[in-house]
Amino acid sequence: MINERLFDDNILSYLEKNVQTDKKNKCINYFGKWWTFEEVFEESRKVAKQLTKLGLKKGDRITVSMVNFPQALFLIFGASYLGLEMFMWDVRNNTQSFVKICERVHPKVIFYCDWDSRFVLRMCRKYKDTLFIQVGPIDCFSSAASAFRAFGFDFISCRWPIAKNRKKWSYLAKQDISDVKLPEPSKTHFMYFPTSGSTGQSKYVILSSKHFCYQLHEYNRYFINGKFKFREDDAFLNFLPVFACTGLDMIIAAMLVGMKQYIYPIPDIAKVWEQIITHKCSYVFGPTKFYEEMISFEFAKETKDLSFIRFLGCGGDKLPPEKEAMLNAFFNERGSSVKMSNGYGMTETTAPIAIQDGLDYHLGNVGPIWENTDIKIVDPKTGKFLKDGEVGEIWVNSLSKMIGYLKYDENGKEYIEKPGEYLHTGDLGYIKENQLYVEGRISRMVTMKNGSKFLSEEYENTIKNLDGIKETAVICDNSKGDNAEISLFVQFENENNAKSDYQKMIKFIRKNMNPFEFPTFVYQVKDFPMLPNTKKDYKKLEVLAKEGKLLKLR
């Protein structure tokens, strides 16, 4: 049994004790400026003192709505040291929902990006006892900010009248902390991460610093002492947002290993890959969509040498085996022997609990289950444990399992909805020779009237792999009569060839798929509506179809 007390620490202190490199080595780079590990820790402690100067103490709540830039990292580490409760917010979500969560949690300080001035104005008028601290990516460089202002741009201060309780990041930085003595470092504290999964309904997952310290222990096992053998001279480009569990996971994992990492705040796939090639980053981690779109860019196709890439991590939606093989070939043809490392995890498990490795590689799975993680495959209807090779719901028990969901009763009172001994993930999968295979979401599996199972994600991937098809979505409704109603949504690669590609697709379905899988309706989609987490918005598709806003091909 692993000693849980090893992980009773805050993130900053755990990293300081366990980082696998000389602290004078380079740590993070932000548009050309480097911070060493020593400087990152020093800046983080400085922020902890500045927060202490503002009167914040263990258990106080703050909200963090920031993208990837150094201050976001210093703030998270400093707040972790003090034991502040951090509510992370996805900046891609709408302002109204942010206002709602702030009204519920009553944070002492709100840290937010500098582009949503209307939200700040509204909040400043309403809350007199909340401090608002505004920061933007350009705020790292005062000289650059001055230059922008000279040309009429104002990235840091706002055009709206500034309320007394509204400040810029420089206000925090200018606090006189010469007489501030830091309290004893916090042992553990809560962090709240937003997640919406495939539903689009935002909810808060409660994790603690203990969860992240445990994950760092596992990263040490797999990435330093394990099969990956990451090294100090490896470089990592981090563009995953720090407000997401996986984004923070990746930053602190790279730091623990001792890798240099380039922090990039813009989630633009083309620009990200340009940065990876420019800086010759050997470690890459991104969602499925990131890789699928990358290989369609001309500059990626024209790149002859990718031999510097040693690790390609992939998470989020399932990557079909055909796409995985195609991506492996793409990199192999350009000098890299790397193979895609699909991983499995979720915010509720503090991200990865299984990941493919380079030696024991199996196409189409998400790798061996991590050593201290117990996974069961269960019949979702009966609760019966299933044998190897049998498909059922994935249940997880691990030290990385969430504390629970933050909920509110009808009177607005907080409570925690805790998982049982095993976390029910809602994902379908099976285990074979300790390798985990993920089939899709239970919510997207439909049992037909004849008893057959209709796996929506498998259906989508089959159609998506046809020539001329760029993207697909399928919605199956078996509530109407004996025959299920299948709506297929298709985006064609070339609209000029849409008619012939549609006919080829229909011919393929007739010949290769079951009769009950033939689509009732087919709609042409120019651009798929997406949720903030980059997954397709199925509810929006249904609405567009019902309102007649999509071209109906069948």
Side-chain angles (χ1 to χ4, degrees), residues 36 174 213 227 260 298 460 535:
T36 64
K174 290 176 182 176
C213 292
K227 297 175 180 176
K260 302 184 292 291
E298 285 303 316
E460 289 175 355
K535 295 184 179 182

Side-chain angles (χ1 to χ4, degrees), residues 9 12 40 57 59 63 106 110 164 194 211 216 239 252 274 292 385 396 432 434 475 489:
D9 214 340
L12 176 61
V40 169
K57 59 186 183 303
T63 55
H106 306 295
I110 293 174
K164 290 181 180 179
H211 288 85
L216 284 172
F239 69 97
I252 61 179
E274 286 177 356
E292 289 181 334
F385 290 166
V396 179
K432 186 177 180 182
N434 198 43
I475 297 172
F489 301 84

Side-chain angles (χ1 to χ4, degrees), residues 212-439:
F212 286 96
C213 292
Y214 167 73
Q215 284 295 82
L216 284 172
H217 174 269
E218 293 299 282
Y219 285 129
N220 182 68
R221 178 199 306 277
Y222 280 86
F223 293 155
I224 300 178
N225 300 320
K227 297 175 180 176
F228 291 117
K229 300 291 184 189
F230 287 162
R231 310 171 305 221
E232 286 184 8
D233 59 344
D234 283 325
F236 170 42
L237 185 97
N238 196 325
F239 69 97
L240 298 175
V242 292
F243 55 70
C245 173
T246 304
L248 181 57
D249 249 354
M250 291 299 103
I251 286 179
I252 61 179
M255 287 184 66
L256 179 77
V257 173
M259 281 194 289
K260 302 184 292 291
Q261 58 181 309
Y262 295 84
I263 304 293
Y264 196 68
I266 306 167
D268 181 293
I269 295 174
K271 290 180 179 177
V272 167
W273 273 103
E274 286 177 356
Q275 292 291 315
I276 289 169
I277 292 168
T278 300
H279 298 298
K280 295 192 179 302
C281 296
S282 48
Y283 176 102
V284 181
F285 190 94
T288 304
K289 188 177 180 64
F290 171 70
Y291 292 106
E292 289 181 334
E293 291 194 8
M294 176 276 299
I295 58 175
S296 66
F297 299 137
E298 285 303 316
F299 79 86
K301 293 177 182 177
E302 293 170 0
T303 302
K304 303 299 182 186
D305 181 18
L306 292 174
S307 58
F308 53 86
I309 293 181
R310 297 181 58 237
F311 176 85
L312 291 170
C314 181
D317 287 335
K318 178 185 175 183
L319 183 65
E322 301 81 8
K323 282 285 174 66
E324 186 178 338
M326 184 175 68
L327 285 162
N328 287 343
F330 177 88
F331 287 95
N332 295 165
E333 289 164 3
R334 289 160 178 78
S336 174
S337 60
V338 70
K339 290 183 173 65
M340 294 296 299
S341 288
N342 280 315
Y344 176 73
M346 54 205 311
T347 304
E348 288 87 342
T349 62
T350 327
I353 52 173
I355 193 166
Q356 283 177 333
D357 55 52
L359 297 179
D360 191 18
Y361 184 81
H362 294 73
L363 192 70
N365 69 19
V366 293
I369 299 163
W370 284 17
E371 188 171 315
N372 294 300
T373 298
D374 181 17
I375 291 182
K376 304 291 187 189
I377 305 298
V378 182
D379 185 316
K381 289 185 178 179
T382 66
K384 178 186 175 183
F385 290 166
L386 301 177
K387 299 176 183 177
D388 272 19
E390 294 182 330
V391 176
E393 184 179 9
I394 300 170
W395 286 13
V396 179
N397 189 16
S398 167
L399 287 181
S400 65
K401 181 182 68 179
M402 70 173 179
I403 295 168
Y405 292 114
L406 181 66
K407 298 276 189 171
Y408 294 89
D409 63 20
E410 56 186 15
N411 298 315
K413 186 178 179 180
E414 282 186 9
Y415 69 95
I416 299 174
E417 182 181 277
K418 295 183 178 181
E421 180 185 0
Y422 285 89
L423 172 71
H424 300 190
T425 67
D427 289 321
L428 287 168
Y430 64 94
I431 296 172
K432 186 177 180 182
E433 299 176 354
N434 198 43
Q435 302 282 331
L436 179 63
Y437 294 77
V438 179
E439 295 292 288

Side-chain angles (χ1 to χ4, degrees), residues 195-212:
T195 182
S196 56
S198 58
T199 66
Q201 299 298 313
S202 183
K203 50 192 173 184
Y204 264 105
V205 172
I206 308 173
L207 302 174
S208 73
S209 54
K210 184 174 182 177
H211 288 85
F212 286 96

Side-chain angles (χ1 to χ4, degrees), residues 85-103:
E85 293 191 10
M86 285 176 269
F87 282 79
M88 316 302 282
W89 186 253
D90 188 334
V91 299
R92 300 166 298 187
N93 282 334
N94 63 61
T95 300
Q96 188 175 6
S97 52
F98 190 20
V99 171
K100 186 176 181 180
I101 195 66
C102 288
E103 287 173 344

